[in-house]
């Protein structure tokens, strides 16, 4: 089977949108830390019980995890095939490649994507399995987060900050491209899509960064 590039772009757009929806839901959930310790832990516990009693405990969580994994794999696979095809179509590099080609976000999609992937692996070992977390107790996510971003572990906050900005840049260009793939844009529409993508990406970055910085500065403890 050799899917056409249009089909691959559709797969990228649809899997990307699913990931964006997850990112917003996750960011909103994280903000519970500003409500209180118990609320945050209660929310994490609730995540494990969604769907009960129709579904047994943690089933919904696992369905979501499998869905996320499928979306990530589909996104990376379609991006890779499209990249290889683009390289094959133009094996000789441009002799005079203009220095500024597209926005910063557009030019960093590939390496930014790789950084985001490395971050996700670190993040899962940190806050889901607890292996890289000083507390590492999955029944106490609040304590894990506080320990994670303690001032003496400033390098963890730095790594999260760089990674979350990479997520934001990836998203800014990604949302814009998905809108373009899913519907023909007029010039005016493209400008609006770009503004909306920037706004959404900025909001997401602010929501995510508020947590480590609130811990670092002692606003939550
Ligand atoms: C400072 C920002 C973030 C904080 C404080 C945070 C916090 C957490 C916590 C506490 C968990 C474990 C939840 C549980 O108890 O099950 C978690 C899981 C997760 N986070 Fe984050 N997160 C942040 C940013 C991100 C970003 C930017 C991404 C994606 C690029 C992400 C993706 C995930 C994923 C995929 C899981 C696993 C969900 C699961 O299968 O249980 N997180 N996060």
């Amino acid at each position: 089977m050799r899917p056409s590039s249009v089909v691959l772009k559709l797969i990228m757009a649809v899997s990307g949108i699913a990931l964006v929806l997850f990112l917003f839901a996750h960011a909103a959930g994280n903000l519970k830390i500003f409500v209180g310790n118990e609320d945050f832990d209660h929310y994490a516990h609730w995540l494990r019980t969604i769907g009960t009693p129709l579904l047994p405990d943690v089933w919904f969580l696992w369905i979501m995890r499998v869905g996320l994994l499928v979306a990530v794999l589909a996104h990376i696979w379609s991006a890779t095939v499209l990249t290889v095809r683009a390289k094959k179509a133009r094996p000789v590099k441009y002799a005079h490649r203009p220095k500024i080609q597209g926005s910063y976000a557009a030019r960093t999609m590939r390496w930014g994507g790789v950084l985001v992937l490395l971050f996700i692996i670190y993040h899962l070992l940190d806050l889901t399995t607890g292996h890289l977390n000083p507390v590492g107790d999955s029944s106490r996510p609040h304590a894990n987060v506080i320990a994670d971003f303690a001032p003496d572990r400033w390098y963890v906050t730095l790594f999260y900050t760089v990674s979350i900005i990479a997520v934001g840049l990836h998203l800014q260009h990604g949302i814009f491209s998905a809108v373009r793939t899913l519907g023909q844009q007029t010039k005016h529409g493209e400008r609006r899509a770009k503004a909306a993508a920037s706004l959404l990406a900025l909001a997401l970055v602010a929501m995510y960064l508020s947590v480590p910085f609130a811990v670092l500065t002692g606003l939550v403890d």
Side-chain angles (χ1 to χ4, degrees):
M1 193 188 73
R2 195 179 185 279
S4 73
S5 294
V6 174
V7 168
L8 288 169
K9 286 202 170 179
L10 258 174
I11 294 174
M12 276 210 81
V14 172
S15 57
I17 287 171
L19 294 170
V20 169
L21 291 178
F22 164 77
L23 278 175
F24 272 97
H26 185 33
N30 285 347
L31 294 182
K32 275 254 168 203
I33 204 154
F34 293 104
V35 183
N37 309 0
E38 276 132 47
D39 295 84
F40 191 70
D41 284 352
H42 181 254
Y43 159 74
H45 176 72
W46 169 77
L47 283 180
R48 286 158 178 77
T49 58
I50 304 174
T52 56
L54 184 64
L55 296 171
D57 247 14
V58 293
W59 267 51
F60 176 86
L61 186 66
W62 275 104
I63 292 169
M64 193 195 74
R65 284 174 172 166
V66 172
L68 268 179
L69 187 67
V70 169
V72 169
L73 291 179
H75 202 69
I76 296 174
W77 170 72
S78 45
T80 311
V81 178
L82 282 167
T83 303
V84 170
R85 278 189 197 168
K87 285 227 162 92
K88 267 198 192 140
R90 174 84 214 182
V92 182
K93 284 202 168 161
Y94 288 106
H96 300 287
R97 192 174 178 197
K99 265 225 165 82
I100 299 182
Q101 206 189 43
S103 66
Y104 183 74
R107 284 180 288 126
T108 51
M109 284 312 267
R110 255 165 239 161
W111 288 110
V114 172
L115 173 62
V116 172
L117 187 65
L118 291 177
F119 164 75
I120 292 173
I121 295 168
Y122 176 88
H123 184 54
L124 290 178
L125 291 171
D126 175 14
L127 287 171
T128 298
T129 70
H131 286 92
L132 297 178
N133 189 277
V135 173
D137 179 350
S138 64
S139 66
R140 294 163 60 218
H142 176 268
N144 295 337
V145 171
I146 300 297
D148 222 7
F149 305 121
D152 62 331
R153 281 167 53 89
W154 57 269
Y155 47 90
V156 174
T157 298
L158 182 67
F159 176 55
Y160 266 75
T161 304
V162 172
S163 306
I164 287 165
I165 291 173
V167 171
L169 285 170
H170 200 79
L171 217 75
Q172 185 195 4
H173 186 71
I175 295 175
F176 172 63
S177 307
V179 169
R180 211 167 31 182
T181 297
L182 296 177
Q184 199 47 260
Q185 293 286 326
T186 58
K187 263 256 161 312
H188 182 60
E190 281 213 0
R191 225 174 304 133
R192 262 198 314 207
K194 216 168 225 168
S198 301
L199 205 70
L200 282 174
L202 207 67
L204 195 86
V205 168
M207 282 162 91
Y208 275 122
L209 287 187
S210 66
V211 177
F213 281 93
V215 177
L216 189 74
T217 56
L219 194 67
V220 293
D221 53 22

